[in-house]
Amino acid sequence: MTTRRSVVDLTYYDRVYGGESFGQRLRRLREARRLSQRDVASQCEGVSYAHVSRLEADHRMASVRVIRELAAALDVTAAYLEYGYERDDELRRLQNRVEELLAQLESATNGSNHA
């Protein structure tokens, strides 16, 4: 039996890790463009304004197709809409952090060898 994570769990995850939820990001982007839920829905094939409303309230999870449609309507990448950052940016940040940690480890190792 597989367990499904609820929308509440996903919202909690976003709060714990300092980000906004998908719904919060969707609403922020829509409002920044001065668009109504109906305006956004009308630019997305097969998406109703009620569905946009439920997504913004984090009561539903968007499919990949809907994320792509919404992203195009809001003129952002699907990755940004879904995650709140561009994946390449996050990858670079993580690579830089790994390099910093390796340098610290090397420094600590060299320092203990000379003692």
Side-chain angles (χ1 to χ4, degrees):
M1 179 174 130
T2 61
T3 58
R4 254 181 54 180
R5 291 184 67 190
S6 72
V7 174
V8 173
D9 292 337
L10 294 173
T11 302
Y12 171 77
Y13 178 87
D14 282 318
R15 275 199 319 269
V16 166
Y17 290 95
E20 59 190 347
S21 71
F22 176 84
Q24 291 167 335
R25 190 165 30 265
L26 176 59
R27 174 172 282 152
R28 177 178 53 79
L29 291 167
R30 177 182 59 76
E31 289 177 345
R33 287 153 180 76
R34 291 182 162 65
L35 297 171
S36 69
Q37 291 172 341
R38 285 183 193 271
D39 293 334
V40 172
S42 70
Q43 296 179 47
C44 301
E45 187 176 330
V47 177
S48 69
Y49 79 91
H51 190 59
V52 173
S53 175
R54 287 190 287 271
L55 290 170
E56 286 184 357
D58 289 315
H59 289 223
R60 295 282 186 277
M61 293 177 62
S63 68
V64 172
R65 182 191 65 79
V66 169
I67 290 170
R68 288 178 182 156
E69 294 269 343
L70 292 169
L74 296 168
D75 197 29
V76 296
T77 65
Y80 181 78
L81 181 57
E82 188 171 7
Y83 303 108
Y85 56 84
E86 297 297 332
R87 285 182 167 173
D88 291 344
D89 292 342
E90 181 67 2
L91 181 59
R92 273 192 293 279
R93 186 188 69 75
L94 291 172
Q95 287 172 332
N96 289 339
R97 183 67 180 136
V98 166
E99 289 172 9
E100 289 171 12
L101 291 171
L102 287 173
Q104 289 174 4
L105 180 61
E106 184 178 335
S107 177
T109 304
N110 289 338
S112 66
N113 288 341
H114 296 306

